[in-house]
């Protein structure tokens, strides 16, 4: 590892650091489990864990590549890219402060990166990266967006969720099925043994034109089924509910992808964000794109959910290109809300 970009990701409940030098990647990700007992992410707790864990994680990362963290120079790390939004303000501040301080101490440039640009770039770290332009479906705990990606950094949002994000709907439905937070991945495991057609659910907004999504009604439909079934749901009913929910979300996402390809015709589809780890979604998207003579691309599974490798990659492109970008100020600026295009 030489002339690497250090990536720092702390927008929510993953404390993550990564090194990327254009070829080699090394990363550490700590998923904060303390939030489970509260049934959701507690912002203040998230910030505190970022604060405590960033230094030891940085030491671990240095260990992995054989560096002494007390004797670093710019031939090892040439710049630091950190997530500056959107996300939890306090959590973002911890990563930004860490990045800016280390950058100042090592006298190397720093740059804030849009979290969603990171997710969009994550499939570029797969063995078979997607070409540009492509249509991207970003499905995470906080976002559900269809994006025309003309090139790295050239994005146009075609549609997005008007209420809950897809991952949020997975997590809320998982909670209704008594699964611990965040239940998305557990729900999809449960769905493996279920019948996706046992409980027909209506597909949100599919009857209306447009590319926006709405998932909060789906969760309500599940709640109503549960109320009709009465308390003490059997394991079989829970599995059928999980499968019916997952099937409906995937079919809805595919329906909108199909419409988006009418307005932004292309052969390549990228899925990214936490929900892109979902096997039914991956499989269905692959089949759908193949049926049109196209192809679907995904990040490697560990790079679907929040990580710093995607931030280091986006930082690498922005900081080492023909017009290298950096933030020369010592100000620490983070943004709870940040439109994707504002980062350009
Ligand atoms: O991208 P991410 O780590 O966080 C945000 O930036 O929001 O995505 C986390 C979301 C959670 O809602 C989680 O339940 C969901 O991704 N998720 C899944 C799966 N794995 C993670 N949802 C469905 N199926 C999965 N296999
Ligand atoms: Zn994310």
């Amino acid at each position: 590892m030489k002339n690497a970009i250090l990536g720092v990701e702390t927008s929510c409940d993953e404390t993550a650091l990564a090194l990327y030098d254009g070829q080699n990647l090394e990363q550490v990700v700590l998923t904060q489990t303390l939030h489970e007992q509260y049934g959701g992410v507690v912002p203040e707790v998230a910030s505190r864990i970022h604060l405590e864990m960033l230094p030891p994680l940085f030491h671990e990362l240095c260990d992995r590549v054989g560096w002494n963290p007390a004797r670093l120079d710019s031939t090892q790390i040439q710049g630091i890219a950190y997530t500056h939004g959107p996300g939890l303000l306090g959590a973002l501040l911890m990563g930004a402060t860490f990045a800016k301080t280390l950058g100042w101490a090592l006298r190397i440039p720093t740059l804030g990166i849009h979290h969603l640009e990171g997710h969009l770039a994550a499939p570029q770290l797969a063995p078979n990266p997607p070409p540009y332009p492509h249509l991207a479906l970003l499905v995470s705990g906080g976002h559900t967006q269809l994006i025309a990606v003309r090139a790295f950094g050239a994005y146009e949002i075609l549609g997005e969720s008007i209420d809950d994000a897809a991952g949020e709907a997975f997590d809320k439905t998982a909670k209704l099925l008594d699964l611990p937070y965040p239940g998305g991945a557990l729900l999809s495991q449960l769905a493996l043994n279920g019948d996706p057609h046992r409980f027909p659910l209506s597909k949100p907004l599919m009857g209306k034109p447009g590319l926006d999504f709405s998932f909060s009604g789906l969760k309500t439909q599940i709640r109503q089924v549960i109320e009709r079934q009465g308390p003490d749901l059997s394991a079989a009913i829970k599995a059928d509910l999980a499968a019916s929910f997952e099937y409906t979300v995937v079919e809805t996402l595919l329906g909108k992808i199909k419409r988006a390809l009418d307005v932004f015709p292309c052969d390549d589809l990228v899925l990214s964000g936490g929900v892109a780890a979902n096997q039914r979604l991956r499989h269905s998207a692959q089949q759908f794109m193949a049926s049109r003579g196209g192809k679907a691309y995904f990040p490697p599974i560990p790079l679907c959910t929040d990580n710093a490798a995607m931030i280091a990659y986006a930082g690498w492109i922005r900081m080492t290109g023909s017009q290298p970008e950096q933030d020369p100020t010592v100000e620490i600026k983070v943004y709870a809300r940040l439109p994707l295009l504002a980062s350009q």
Side-chain angles (χ1 to χ4, degrees), residues 20 25 113-132 134 136-138 147 149 151-155 270-273 297-300 303-305 307-318 340:
Y20 180 67
L25 175 71
I113 296 287
H114 196 293
H115 181 72
L116 300 186
E117 174 162 271
H119 275 303
L120 289 172
Q124 301 297 334
L125 290 165
N128 186 13
Y132 295 101
H134 56 246
L137 173 68
L138 205 156
I147 304 168
V149 183
F152 178 92
Y155 315 112
V270 160
L271 296 189
S272 65
Y297 298 82
F298 320 95
L303 301 189
C304 285
T305 44
N307 65 85
M310 65 188 195
I311 304 302
Y313 177 85
W316 172 266
I317 300 291
R318 289 194 177 273
L340 189 55

Side-chain angles (χ1 to χ4, degrees), residues 186-328:
L186 295 168
L187 183 146
S188 66
Q189 258 175 331
L190 186 61
L192 288 176
N193 304 317
D195 172 5
H197 305 293
R198 165 93 182 263
F199 298 106
L201 304 166
S202 65
K203 297 190 193 105
L205 289 190
M206 277 316 284
K208 295 194 181 142
L211 294 171
D212 285 341
F213 302 92
S214 164
F215 288 109
S216 71
L218 205 48
K219 171 195 70 206
T220 312
Q221 290 185 61
I222 295 284
R223 184 182 295 126
Q224 285 163 349
V225 177
I226 292 176
E227 278 164 10
R228 277 201 300 276
Q229 295 289 327
D232 302 327
L233 294 180
S234 70
I237 289 186
K238 281 187 181 174
D240 290 345
L241 271 169
S244 302
F245 168 82
E246 185 185 60
Y247 170 78
T248 311
V249 172
V250 169
E251 289 304 301
T252 306
L253 292 173
L254 283 180
K256 293 291 162 92
I257 288 170
K258 200 169 169 187
R259 278 188 200 172
L261 287 171
D262 289 340
V263 294
F264 183 67
C266 68
D267 291 335
D268 300 297
L269 170 73
V270 160
L271 296 189
S272 65
V275 184
N278 185 277
Q279 291 303 332
R280 181 185 279 277
L281 179 58
R282 285 183 171 234
H283 186 69
S284 306
Q286 236 156 8
Q287 273 192 332
F288 170 68
M289 289 309 289
S291 74
R292 303 169 54 107
K295 216 169 157 191
Y297 298 82
F298 320 95
I301 295 279
L303 301 189
C304 285
T305 44
D306 288 349
N307 65 85
M310 65 188 195
I311 304 302
Y313 177 85
W316 172 266
I317 300 291
R318 289 194 177 273
M319 299 181 85
T320 71
S322 52
Q323 291 171 309
E325 292 175 42
Q326 61 167 288
D327 171 13

Side-chain angles (χ1 to χ4, degrees), residues 142-164:
H143 294 83
T144 303
Q145 293 182 326
L146 273 163
I147 304 168
V149 183
R150 295 198 164 81
F152 178 92
Y155 315 112
E156 184 191 345
I157 295 173
L158 304 174
E160 60 192 325
S161 179
I162 56 171
D163 44 49
D164 290 355

